[in-house]
Amino acid sequence: CDSLGCLLSFGNVTSGSRILVVDGCHGMVTGAVAERAGCEATIVRVFTDGLNKQFLPAFNLSRAAQDMIYNIPAHKVLECSAEVGTNPVETSEGDAMHRVQQQRRVEREAVVLQLLQCGFHSLVMVPRGHPLPLLRLLLPRILPSGAFAVFCQYIEPLAQCLRDMSATHLGVQMQISETWLREFQVLPGRTHPFMATDGSSGYVLSG
């Protein structure tokens, strides 16, 4: 899909970078970012209404690439100023495997909190709802000269985001691009665009 390609390009998804992802496409955007960035990048996926990774296994990512994908609910981003590593791990009764899994979860959460404090190089967003609340929350986590790309099916929410960021000076060189794919009929002596095509496949706000 050319919209997904635009997101990865405008979002400057590269190997060795730290990338924030909001994925409302059941893991498709997260998988595409991980596939392009490789094992050297660190990806933090922020979710709001449950973590859905339905399409992620289809990318057949290596174990190393999967380990570099971290997940955190949006409300915990607001709490990232809390002290890292203070969550206790239960060591009393309980299954040993459960304690190991809990310890791993706490350690990965501590890594995410440290990353949020350090900042990210890129932000790639495909939210399910209006992008402005999450954009206000996550854009300050992007380092100076970092890149962001936000996809939406309609232009009005992105226009509102553009006005808001211009007023608050949160971004520079911002633009809204329309991704439009037109089919061509390719036949000997009869190559031309199809006369009846679908409309826009969405819009991308980048900066």
Side-chain angles (χ1 to χ4, degrees), residues 1 7 10 26 31 35 49 57-58 73 81 95 98 127 137 145 183 189 198:
C1 177
L7 276 173
F10 290 147
H26 306 291
E35 187 176 53
D49 51 356
S81 58
D95 182 63
H98 174 71
L137 174 66
S145 75
E183 269 189 282
D198 294 331

Side-chain angles (χ1 to χ4, degrees), residues 34-35 38-41 43 61-70:
E35 187 176 53
C39 304
E40 301 300 322
I43 301 168
L61 299 173
S62 66
R63 184 64 185 177
Q66 293 181 40
D67 287 341
M68 298 308 292
I69 300 175
Y70 299 85

Side-chain angles (χ1 to χ4, degrees), residues 98-109:
H98 174 71
R99 292 200 301 270
V100 171
Q101 292 175 349
Q102 187 180 20
Q103 178 65 39
R104 175 177 167 81
R105 180 186 60 80
V106 171
E107 291 173 354
R108 289 179 65 84
E109 184 175 312

Side-chain angles (χ1 to χ4, degrees), residues 29-89:
V29 178
T30 306
V33 170
E35 187 176 53
R36 171 172 287 198
C39 304
E40 301 300 322
T42 303
I43 301 168
V44 174
R45 179 184 178 187
V46 180
F47 60 93
T48 55
D49 51 356
L51 185 61
N52 192 322
K53 301 185 285 186
Q54 178 182 350
F55 295 144
L56 198 56
F59 287 89
N60 197 25
L61 299 173
S62 66
R63 184 64 185 177
Q66 293 181 40
D67 287 341
M68 298 308 292
I69 300 175
Y70 299 85
N71 302 291
I72 186 172
H75 69 87
K76 285 201 172 183
V77 178
L78 295 171
E79 306 166 3
C80 70
S81 58
E83 186 177 353
V84 176
T86 57
N87 293 335
V89 178

Side-chain angles (χ1 to χ4, degrees), residues 167-183:
T168 55
H169 307 288
L170 283 178
V172 296
Q173 296 183 343
M174 293 178 290
Q175 63 177 2
I176 297 178
S177 306
E178 180 181 7
T179 57
W180 184 58
L181 178 65
R182 186 168 189 178
E183 269 189 282

